[in-house]
Amino acid sequence: MQFRNFKMVGYVVYGRGSFDQLDEILSPQRKGDAPMVFLLDHFFKGKALEGRIPLRGKDRLVSADVTYEPKTTQVDQLAKELKDAYGTVSGVIGIGGGSTMDLAKAVGLMMNNPGSSADYQGWDLVKNPGVYKAGIPTISGTGAEVSRTTVLTGPTRKLGMNSDFTPFDQIVLDPVLAEGVPVNQRFYTGMDCYIHCIESLQGTYLNEFSKSYGEKALALCQEVFLHKDHWDAQSDDQLMMASYAGGMSIAYSQVGVAHAVSYGLSYLLGTKHGIGNCIVFNHLEEFYPEGVREFKKMVDKNKIDIPQGICKGLTDEQFDTMINVSLGMKPLWENALGKDWEKQMTRDRLRALYEKL
Ligand code: NAD
Ligand code: ZN
């Protein structure tokens, strides 16, 4: 097909306090006594939000341990446990950041697909639709709430299960849930959105569809991280919508250099997505001069520490691993540098870039 036929999220609820509508939203999705499974970010264990989850009948509440980003083994284990216990479930609801939402998408898919989630890392490999899936972000920036992928670390690579079956059937955008995210974490995940915008807007895949979302998301990021003199409730509203629009922007284009390089870090060192993107973006003046200048202003204004020297002392073999992972992200490089990207981004140039981080 010449033009991408873009599968979107089914339903969207937005508003402060909209989380309390969840019971009503889920009710028509319940299939007999098959349970709804709620994956709740472990941060909320014992907190008030836990008590507001509309559990009914055999529903199951699972605390999602997001100490590490989701792995295919973690997804497979949870899906197997649910299949063994219930046969099938009415749906999987992810409440948390990008990690928890990705976990929910992947487990939802694996309820109806054989084998391991690692078999489906790539593009359009998923065979069957999953069970009903809903996503409820509690931290803003990744755009995982709108994307057609769920990023997993597998035995041989970190790559998404990218498919038309992956997007959520429902998302609930309630900015109140993101109140109280620690400042550093809010910045790192928020910058994921900022970097999505810069990479999309400066990319060769850019089109008016992506541009309209990307420009809006960029303006919202600039508003909350640069122009306002303090963080307020409206900032949470704005960053949640920035995340949504940023996700929509890359859905119809692609990300770029920061993401391609940061995937290597994440694979080898386990560096998390948000902070990893910041570590890399900090050194990308040659690719995104204006964006990096503005990023540094935001870092200063928000008094954030961006780690330095994380690649110090790595062996040649380790650098090679990161370079292999990174150069494997072909569409990202092509979006960033154009069709002849392989001539421009040599292994030596990429090695020099990793050495700076
Ligand atoms: P995260 O989900 O890993 O959460 C970061 C930290 O914030 C965790 O410690 C979590 O417990 C905590 N947290 C979450 N909500 C909170 C709240 N309201 N208050 C206090 N603490 C809270 O971080 P993230 O940056 O949202 O997501 C990163 C993940 O998203 C990575 O695994 C990445 O691969 C994935 N990702 C996916 C997509 C996609 O399209 N599917 C896009 C970008 C990133
Ligand atoms: Zn990202």
Side-chain angles (χ1 to χ4, degrees), residues 192-203:
D192 190 20
C193 177
Y194 178 79
I195 295 168
H196 290 161
C197 297
I198 302 292
E199 292 184 328
S200 166
L201 292 169
Q202 308 278 304

Side-chain angles (χ1 to χ4, degrees), residues 15-189:
R16 303 181 76 80
S18 55
F19 181 83
D20 290 328
Q21 215 167 288
L22 189 57
D23 194 24
E24 219 178 303
I25 291 170
L26 296 182
S27 170
Q29 306 299 337
R30 292 180 178 278
K31 297 190 170 58
D33 68 349
M36 282 289 175
V37 178
F38 297 87
L39 306 185
L40 179 66
D41 185 307
H42 64 171
F43 168 79
F44 293 102
K45 204 171 172 54
K47 302 227 165 53
L49 186 65
E50 195 180 43
R52 290 168 57 203
I53 292 179
L55 294 173
R56 304 210 165 256
K58 291 195 294 186
D59 283 2
R60 173 89 177 270
L61 175 60
V62 178
S63 177
D65 184 345
V66 295
T67 313
Y68 306 103
E69 295 188 341
K71 293 188 174 62
T72 52
T73 47
Q74 188 184 7
V75 169
D76 294 348
Q77 194 191 335
L78 192 49
K80 178 176 186 307
E81 206 187 295
L82 294 172
K83 282 183 206 170
D84 289 349
Y86 310 106
T88 188
V89 300
S90 288
V92 181
I93 320 299
I95 309 168
S99 300
T100 309
M101 288 191 283
D102 276 1
L103 204 53
K105 288 192 211 179
V107 171
L109 289 172
M110 290 314 293
M111 292 306 293
N112 287 345
N113 282 281
S116 162
S117 49
D119 304 337
Y120 306 111
Q121 285 181 284
W123 279 267
D124 302 303
L125 302 172
V126 180
K127 293 190 177 72
N128 308 312
V131 296
Y132 174 85
K133 307 187 290 308
I136 308 181
T138 64
I139 177 169
S140 302
T142 64
E145 61 278 21
V146 290
S147 75
R148 85 189 281 278
T149 190
T150 155
V151 184
L152 303 175
T153 304
T156 55
R157 59 206 157 165
K158 181 179 176 189
L159 189 61
M161 291 166 78
N162 211 303
S163 83
D164 278 353
F165 300 128
T166 310
F168 284 119
D169 298 290
Q170 170 83 54
I171 59 175
V172 176
L173 304 178
D174 181 348
V176 178
L177 303 181
E179 279 174 2
V181 178
V183 174
N184 269 309
Q185 183 63 57
R186 184 172 69 201
F187 186 84
Y188 298 143
T189 301

Side-chain angles (χ1 to χ4, degrees), residues 6 8-9 12 14 137 140-147 171 173 190 192-198 200-201 206-221 237-255:
F6 172 42
M8 294 172 71
V9 161
V12 183
Y14 170 81
S140 302
T142 64
E145 61 278 21
V146 290
S147 75
I171 59 175
L173 304 178
D192 190 20
C193 177
Y194 178 79
I195 295 168
H196 290 161
C197 297
I198 302 292
S200 166
L201 292 169
L206 188 64
N207 51 64
E208 288 301 327
F209 183 101
S210 292
K211 195 172 159 203
S212 0
Y213 283 108
E215 285 177 346
K216 184 64 197 176
L218 182 66
L220 289 166
C221 289
D237 299 359
Q238 289 170 318
L239 191 55
M240 194 160 272
M241 287 320 298
S243 176
Y244 177 93
M248 290 294 288
S249 177
I250 48 173
Y252 223 101
S253 66
Q254 214 5 305
V255 284

